[in-house]
Amino acid sequence: MDISYIINELAEDRQQYFNAVSPPIMQSSNFAFDTVDDLRTAFEDEYGGYLYSRGLNPTVDILRKKLAALDNAEDCLVFNSGASAIFAAVLANVKSGDHIVSVEHPYTWAHKMFNVILPRFGITTTYIDGRDIENFERAILPNTRVIYLESPNSWSYALQDLAAVAELARAENIVTIIDNSYCTPIYQRPIDFGIDLVLQSATKYIGGHSDTVAGVLTGTKKMMERIFNSEYLTIGSGISPFNAWLLIRGLRTLPMRLQHITKSTREVVTYLKQHPKVEEVIFPFDTDFPQYELAKKQMQGACGLLTFVIKANTVAEIEQFCEKLKHILMAVSWGGHESLIIPKCAGFKPGHFDPEKKEHRMLRLYVGLEDPAYLVADLEQAFAIL
Ligand SMILES: *Cc1c(COP(=O)(O)O)cnc(C)c1O
């Protein structure tokens, strides 16, 4: 399906709402019925129609159809956060006594689920370096039910060979789940490589304006229906109609925002790579990236997120560098209009800083929609303190 069609037309039945170009926000918690039999039918199959907005809602449905099509998936559920999409996807596929194989350093709250919540139910997780397919083969146990991927991984951008992992998992009857937040469906469609479930934080590029928290999960209709009827309705973590509307609006400009950010990021990477105070730039579409060939094979592009290692001897130097930035904000998240930075050293006490550890001197930069020259000038004036 053509991306322009998906973004501008798919699922938009304008005759239903006075030919309005922008779809309405169906801000209703419940939907009324004329006959008891209609109500009965809705109770029997909540996935088949509108009953209550913790379940289905017409504004959310427009978004669901577009996001499913973008992922080349049969169906989609949209959550009120990326974290709840992760939780539902995993929870729906494990039971007491099961085992999960996950890439090392998955997203913080996926990690929390694997380490703190699931062990309470006797579910264990083995973390592996996902860059080598043999590590998956070695980690799989007879009770492994789920393989959890994040490619590229945030900070390290480590990739997994999606086709190879999918093939291995299918042979063992294991469900594969990927966090695709970095790429979005514009730059990577894991279902095309045989991955079962694809999730992303829509807070990032889909929303695109740092004003909405949301998550997306796509897969087969059968799987989505099963998750809808259990985890989705029970946890009650569906997206609100208003936030769904904001995401539909975000989608209109997704490809052009990514195009701009991709181009700007290339300029910022080029600047950082030649800077004498930068030891290393880690970015999956950089020719020096160790998995560059795999990146090219399974991703159509890489956009705004990169890590660089600064040549600093003290934590104070890194702190001063970050605090001296005038336009690049210090904040979590990414994917919005504004450029952002996070130093790794914000994650530990200053006394633990060890300049010998490359990790401690890492900064994660997100390149937003600003003019790249404006961002480079900001970085340049901040580097002057070193
Ligand atoms: C932000 C993020 C999430 C979580 O999404 P929320 O919308 O914040 O709940 C998951 N994975 C990655 C890679 C993220 O960056």
Side-chain angles (χ1 to χ4, degrees):
M1 226 182 287
D2 193 295
I3 285 186
S4 293
Y5 170 75
I6 296 170
I7 286 174
N8 293 298
E9 292 156 78
L10 179 68
E12 294 183 67
D13 190 0
R14 298 196 184 97
Q15 282 175 355
Q16 298 250 30
Y17 39 85
F18 312 103
N19 289 317
V21 168
S22 169
I25 303 166
M26 211 61 84
Q27 191 74 12
S28 185
S29 56
N30 45 0
F31 299 85
F33 296 86
D34 290 332
T35 69
V36 173
D37 198 47
D38 287 348
L39 182 58
R40 185 177 295 125
T41 305
F43 281 148
E44 277 167 7
D45 178 21
E46 195 168 340
Y47 209 47
Y50 302 118
L51 170 73
Y52 188 55
S53 284
R54 173 154 42 77
L56 298 184
N57 172 280
T59 308
V60 178
D61 270 359
I62 296 173
L63 177 65
R64 285 177 55 216
K65 287 179 183 145
K66 288 180 188 293
L67 289 168
L70 283 176
D71 263 344
N72 206 10
E74 286 174 18
D75 204 354
C76 166
L77 290 171
V78 193
F79 294 78
N80 61 14
S81 71
S84 54
I86 295 172
F87 195 68
V90 174
L91 198 65
N93 287 291
V94 289
K95 62 178 185 332
S96 173
D98 283 349
H99 175 251
I100 295 167
V101 174
S102 169
V103 290
E104 58 190 356
H105 312 301
Y107 178 68
T108 318
W109 297 98
H111 212 222
K112 185 95 168 187
M113 170 186 61
F114 293 138
N115 288 357
V116 178
I117 300 178
L118 296 183
R120 301 207 310 248
F121 306 97
I123 299 160
T124 55
T125 301
T126 302
Y127 296 101
I128 56 155
D129 178 346
R131 289 174 297 184
D132 186 349
I133 189 72
E134 285 178 10
N135 292 337
F136 287 95
E137 287 161 8
R138 276 194 284 268
I140 289 172
L141 300 173
N143 58 337
T144 304
R145 300 287 1 123
V146 165
I147 292 181
Y148 188 85
L149 311 172
E150 187 180 324
S151 184
N153 196 269
S154 164
W155 285 94
S156 73
Y157 313 102
L159 309 179
Q160 301 97 55
D161 185 330
L162 301 187
V165 175
E167 194 187 328
L168 173 68
R170 290 244 156 124
E172 307 272 346
N173 225 355
I174 296 168
V175 174
T176 44
I177 304 174
I178 186 171
D179 183 335
N180 198 37
S181 301
Y182 185 94
C183 281
T184 83
I186 304 296
Y187 281 162
Q188 182 166 270
R189 275 178 292 279
I191 284 176
D192 293 349
F193 295 100
I195 300 296
D196 297 312
L197 282 167
V198 181
L199 63 90
Q200 56 180 318
S201 168
T203 313
K204 313 294 162 53
Y205 289 116
I206 307 283
H209 296 77
S210 301
D211 53 14
T212 321
V213 175
V216 183
L217 181 65
T218 59
T220 61
K221 180 160 182 358
K222 193 170 161 225
M223 177 74 88
M224 291 301 113
E225 183 163 3
R226 184 161 75 70
I227 295 176
F228 175 84
N229 282 314
S230 53
E231 289 75 16
Y232 188 87
L233 281 173
T234 309
I235 303 169
S237 51
I239 193 171
S240 71
F242 178 65
N243 279 352
W245 184 86
L246 283 173
L247 295 189
I248 294 168
R249 190 166 78 150
L251 277 180
R252 309 284 194 207
T253 56
L254 177 67
M256 58 178 291
R257 282 186 286 110
L258 290 194
Q259 244 172 44
H260 179 84
I261 290 169
T262 301
K263 195 163 161 284
S264 304
T265 305
R266 204 156 282 283
E267 288 183 36
V268 173
V269 166
T270 304
Y271 163 76
L272 287 171
K273 280 188 81 172
Q274 59 76 47
H275 201 285
K277 290 289 173 191
V278 175
E279 186 175 303
E280 190 184 345
V281 178
I282 309 168
F283 181 66
F285 260 44
D286 184 62
T287 46
D288 290 336
F289 185 70
Q291 292 178 290
Y292 177 65
E293 287 310 318
L294 180 59
K296 283 287 213 192
K297 187 180 136 209
Q298 61 190 23
M299 295 159 61
Q300 273 83 57
C303 22
L305 211 57
L306 63 105
T307 295
F308 63 101
V309 182
I310 201 166
K311 288 181 190 163
N313 296 313
T314 65
V315 75
E317 282 181 292
I318 298 176
E319 290 178 6
Q320 282 164 25
F321 173 83
C322 292
E323 290 164 17
K324 192 140 195 287
L325 291 164
K326 288 190 191 126
H327 307 301
I328 299 170
L329 303 175
M330 215 188 323
V332 296
S333 197
W334 47 274
H337 53 92
E338 78 292 9
S339 292
L340 299 168
I341 199 156
I342 303 185
K344 197 84 176 180
C345 66
F348 54 82
K349 295 265 181 282
H352 294 161
F353 181 78
D354 177 359
E356 298 293 317
K357 285 197 175 128
K358 189 171 95 176
E359 269 244 316
H360 286 192
R361 293 181 283 113
M362 283 182 174
L363 295 104
R364 195 185 76 179
L365 178 67
Y366 165 65
V367 177
L369 292 172
E370 302 93 334
D371 187 332
Y374 183 75
L375 299 174
V376 164
D378 198 20
L379 291 165
E380 183 71 15
Q381 63 86 30
F383 272 123
I385 67 108
L386 290 177

